């Protein structure tokens, strides 16, 4: 049986207000004097009736599509852990969009030969771009309309027009060395293969470890990870994200290793209880900050168009400060 879709008229009837008032509140029109009590009543009615806003109608009212895009790079070297990460990224992004009233478009593109033509078929208000190669970034970015904010994750791109959210890797290694200073074993690093080589270089440079103490995990070399870890018996290792941390913890079974995992995504529960973690301060990870930045520039664009003024925004590179946590 088909369920009738709730309309603004239904919400107006339930909340005992005009349809115009419902439209102002649901479309976040700020130039109307509406009391908090009325606003709450309308939102409660909309929630009660399971109201789903029309993307087309909202576009006409607000002058924007109401849709944002999450684009990530796919590679033949991606292991299962990377696919799990992108699945988590899409799910978390969807939750943030739902909370903020956006629709979400998710696209996976070949890291080496992206097909950005599909982007032209969609009008989006903002973009989060994860793990893009420097060499193909320009080919992707030019397909978006002028003024659409693009915020990058897991990517170092030297262009001040675009904002990048990065982890403070130097702080991560400083915290790790401080906590393991009493250890006498050798130190090692395990990180995920990334399409953006500049980001991997930033990680490796911050580590200040020899090449033989660093393992860059990919689908085509995962079978060599246990032998690498066995060389560091009784040593200390740092792993640069929870999804790679799962793989390393499993491969390290039976070995005497002290593992610390950088957990930028708030998924420390994926790890065994004896693993130490480094987490973003206030549990505000890269995705949350990148979404906040994108939303800020979407709304700033509207304000600039309305009053002709612009506001100062974020720095080109915004780093995430870290704090040490007890074993999971």
């Amino acid at each position: 049986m088909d369920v009738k879709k709730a309309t603004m008229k239904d919400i107006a009837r339930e909340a005992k207000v005009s349809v115009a008032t419902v439209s102002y509140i649901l479309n976040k029109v700020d130039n109307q004097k509406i009391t908090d009590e009325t606003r709450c009543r309308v939102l409660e009615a909309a929630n009660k009736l399971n109201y789903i806003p029309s993307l087309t109608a909202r576009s006409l009212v607000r002058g924007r599509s109401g849709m944002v895009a999450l684009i990530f790079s796919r590679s033949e070297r991606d292991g299962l852990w990377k696919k799990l990460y992108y699945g988590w990224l899409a799910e978390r992004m969807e939750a943030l969009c739902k909370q903020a009233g956006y629709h979400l478009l998710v696209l996976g593109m070949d890291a080496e030969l992206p097909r950005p033509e599909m982007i032209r078929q969609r009008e989006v208000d903002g973009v989060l771009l994860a793990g893009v190669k420097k060499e193909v970034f320009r080919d992707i970015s030019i397909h978006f309309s002028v003024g659409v904010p693009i915020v990058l994750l897991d990517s170092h791109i030297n262009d001040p027009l675009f904002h990048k959210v990065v982890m403070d890797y130097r702080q991560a290694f400083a915290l790790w060395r401080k906590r393991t200073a009493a250890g006498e074993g050798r130190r090692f690093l395990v990180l995920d293969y990334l399409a953006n080589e500049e980001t991997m270089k930033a990680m490796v440079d911050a580590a200040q470890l020899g090449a033989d103490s660093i393992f860059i995990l990919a689908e085509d070399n995962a079978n060599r990870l246990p032998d690498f870890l066995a060389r560091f018996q009784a040593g200390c290792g740092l792993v640069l994200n929870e999804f790679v941390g799962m793989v390393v913890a499993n491969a390290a079974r039976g070995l005497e290793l002290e593992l610390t995992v950088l957990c930028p995504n708030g998924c420390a529960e994926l790890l065994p209880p004896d693993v130490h973690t480094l987490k973003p301060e206030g549990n505000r990870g890269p995705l949350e900050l990148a979404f906040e930045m994108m939303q800020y520039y979407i709304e700033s664009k509207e304000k600039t168009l309305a009053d002709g003024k612009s506001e100062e925004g974020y720095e080109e590179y915004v780093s995430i400060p870290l704090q040490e946590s007890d074993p999971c």
Side-chain angles (χ1 to χ4, degrees):
M1 182 177 67
D2 293 335
V3 178
K4 181 183 176 183
K5 183 178 178 180
T7 66
M8 287 192 181
K9 286 184 180 180
D10 298 325
I11 297 172
R13 190 180 302 111
E14 177 75 21
K16 296 181 173 57
V17 298
S18 69
V19 175
T21 298
V22 173
S23 178
Y24 291 144
I25 293 172
L26 296 184
N27 289 304
K28 300 180 181 179
V29 177
D30 298 328
N31 59 358
Q32 300 294 317
K33 293 183 178 180
I34 300 174
T35 66
D36 291 340
E37 188 273 334
T38 299
R39 194 179 302 277
C40 288
R41 198 164 72 244
V42 168
L43 294 176
E44 287 174 359
N47 185 60
K48 177 181 177 181
L49 297 173
N50 295 317
Y51 174 73
I52 301 175
S54 165
L55 186 58
T56 302
R58 177 169 288 186
S59 300
L60 292 172
V61 172
R62 306 182 69 183
R64 69 189 201 200
S65 69
M67 179 179 288
V68 297
L70 169 65
I71 302 176
F72 56 85
S73 296
R74 286 184 174 137
S75 168
E76 292 181 352
R77 303 196 71 193
D78 290 345
L80 177 60
W81 57 92
K82 175 64 73 63
K83 296 170 185 176
L84 289 173
Y85 165 65
Y86 282 141
W88 171 88
L89 198 67
E91 184 175 346
R92 178 60 181 146
M93 181 74 171
E94 184 179 27
L96 292 171
C97 286
K98 183 177 181 180
Q99 183 178 4
Y102 293 107
H103 294 262
L104 175 63
L105 172 67
V106 179
L107 293 174
M109 291 190 176
D110 188 283
E112 303 294 336
L113 295 170
R115 297 288 301 276
E117 294 82 8
M118 66 182 73
I119 296 173
R120 288 200 296 260
Q121 302 172 15
R122 306 283 186 172
E123 286 291 333
V124 297
D125 299 323
V127 180
L128 293 189
L129 194 52
V132 64
K133 286 176 69 72
K134 180 182 69 174
E135 293 79 5
V136 303
F137 170 69
R138 195 70 52 205
D139 293 336
I140 297 174
S141 64
I142 61 175
H143 288 275
F144 294 103
S145 302
V146 175
V148 172
I150 300 176
V151 181
L152 288 88
L153 289 169
D154 304 330
S155 305
H156 283 65
I157 305 290
N158 291 323
D159 189 328
L161 292 177
F162 303 96
H163 297 281
K164 281 75 69 172
V165 178
V166 296
M167 298 304 301
D168 190 337
Y169 293 112
R170 293 192 180 279
Q171 184 196 18
F173 284 102
L175 289 171
W176 174 55
R177 287 193 177 92
K178 180 179 179 181
R179 196 189 60 76
T180 59
E184 298 180 357
R186 295 176 61 197
R187 289 185 170 86
F188 63 91
L189 167 68
V190 181
L191 63 149
D192 192 12
Y193 166 78
L194 300 175
N196 188 273
E197 294 180 0
E198 288 72 22
T199 299
M200 286 199 296
K201 184 177 184 303
M203 296 174 177
V204 171
D205 289 348
Q208 297 181 347
L209 294 171
D212 62 343
S213 298
I214 299 174
F215 193 93
I216 300 176
L217 183 65
E219 175 67 19
D220 53 15
N221 69 3
N223 62 330
R224 299 201 296 270
L225 178 62
D227 290 339
F228 171 83
L229 296 175
R231 290 167 34 209
F232 295 88
Q233 181 78 315
C236 304
L238 181 63
V239 185
L240 295 187
N241 83 49
E242 308 95 311
F243 299 94
V244 176
M246 286 193 305
V247 178
V248 174
N250 184 62
R253 288 180 179 178
L255 298 176
E256 187 181 341
L257 295 175
E258 183 178 337
L259 295 179
T260 301
V261 178
L262 175 60
C263 298
N265 305 301
C267 299
E269 68 274 8
L270 297 175
L271 305 169
D274 59 341
V275 172
H276 294 272
T277 59
L278 298 174
K279 301 178 181 179
E281 289 185 359
N283 292 321
R284 183 169 172 249
L287 178 60
E288 286 75 18
L289 179 54
F291 186 88
E292 176 186 302
M293 293 166 63
M294 179 191 67
Q295 188 175 16
Y296 169 84
Y297 284 109
I298 291 172
E299 295 178 354
S300 294
K301 180 182 176 183
E302 289 185 341
K303 292 177 182 177
T304 300
L305 292 174
D307 58 22
K309 298 178 182 179
S310 61
E311 301 180 28
E312 293 185 4
Y314 293 85
E315 298 291 334
E316 178 185 352
Y317 282 90
V318 180
S319 62
I320 304 286
L322 300 166
Q323 61 186 8
E324 186 179 355
S325 302
D326 294 327
C328 307

